[in-house]
């Protein structure tokens, strides 16, 4: 079954509104001359940049995502953002459980699960991140960690909702480090993730779920990674911050 390639740029805490708009204008300038419409392309700016980017992408196939969502509808949660706010701002996707959230902001599989339920409630497409730390890989615990994150993160989710969810495999040792997992290493992890999804939700759902790779993906390695059977795209940090790099990466991921 062919799954459509999905490339999402996680801008992290980069790009104010003017800079975000300028990056989208650069991406748009290449439209018609590139093949990026053949993939689902998503950009995930910081919250205060979302409004400018939603305006800037109008009339294009580029979709906008957020980098976090709170599980409550509203209330006394200083510094957080709700699904209703994101939906009203024109957001369609949301990254949940990025390793930086897990590492610096106390995100756990339980909070990932609560945020995932909120995203689904507001009809936002979740991009749920999983991945092992370097010492977990070195001590042979990669599969155990991925299984735990999947069971905890996707607890009490219906098969129908799971089929809409995107998973991003992001080995933490490869994020922002320039160290990319080899295609074989990444494929083995993706295969394990799909197997676990099949065990929880059935083969049919597992075949539908798109699993992105994230961790120092760039134009020079995207083609080989996305050519792997269970790798359906990428969640991109550094290489999403310049239009030319992002477009080159998309082209390579599509095998063009
Ligand atoms: C990320 O933050 O999700 C990521 C994959 O970053 P980078 O591409 O910079 O490694």
């Amino acid at each position: 079954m062919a799954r459509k390639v999905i490339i999402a740029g996680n801008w992290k805490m980069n790009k104010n509104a003017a800079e975000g708009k300028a990056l989208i204008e650069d991406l748009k300038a290449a439209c018609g001359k590139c093949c990026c419409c053949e993939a689902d392309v998503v950009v995930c700016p910081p919250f205060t940049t979302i409004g400018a980017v939603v305006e800037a992408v109008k009339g294009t196939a580029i979709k906008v995502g957020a980098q976090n969502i709170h599980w409550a509808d509203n209330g006394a949660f200083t510094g957080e953002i709700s699904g209703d706010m994101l939906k009203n701002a024109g957001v369609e996707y949301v990254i949940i459980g990025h390793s930086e959230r897990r590492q610096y902001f106390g995100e756990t599989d339980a909070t990932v699960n609560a945020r995932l339920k909120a995203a689904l409630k507001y009809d936002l497409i979740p991009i749920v991140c999983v991945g092992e730390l370097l010492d977990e890989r070195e001590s042979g615990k990669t599969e155990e960690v991925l299984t735990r994150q999947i069971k905890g993160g996707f607890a009490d989710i219906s098969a129908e909702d799971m089929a809409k969810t995107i998973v991003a495999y992001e080995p933490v040792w490869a994020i922002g480090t320039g160290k990319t997992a080899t295609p074989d290493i990444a494929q083995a992890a993706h295969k394990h993730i799909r197997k676990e999804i099949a065990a929880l939700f059935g083969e049919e759902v597992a075949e539908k779920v798109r699993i992105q790779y994230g961790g120092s993906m760039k134009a020079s390695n995207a083609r080989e990674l996305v050519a792997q059977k269970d790798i359906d795209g990428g969640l991109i940090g550094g290489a999403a911050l310049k239009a030319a790099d992002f477009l080159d990466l998309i082209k390579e991921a599509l095998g063009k």
Side-chain angles (χ1 to χ4, degrees), residues 121-170:
K121 174 175 172 183
Y122 284 98
D123 211 16
L124 295 161
I125 301 173
I127 299 177
V128 178
C129 302
V130 296
E132 79 287 1
L133 302 167
L134 182 60
D135 65 311
E136 290 168 336
R137 171 157 288 274
E138 286 176 345
S139 55
K141 294 202 178 111
T142 298
E143 293 195 350
E144 183 187 321
V145 169
L146 294 175
T147 299
R148 191 193 67 225
Q149 291 175 338
I150 290 163
K151 283 190 175 153
F154 300 127
D156 309 318
I157 300 298
S158 70
E160 194 191 336
D161 280 340
M162 187 64 213
K164 299 178 205 157
T165 298
I166 292 157
V167 180
Y169 168 62
E170 300 211 304

Side-chain angles (χ1 to χ4, degrees), residues 10 12 98 100 170 174-177 214-217 235-239:
N10 173 13
K12 310 193 183 189
H98 190 277
E100 286 150 17
E170 300 211 304
I175 296 180
T177 58
S216 300
M217 194 192 258
L235 179 56
I236 320 299

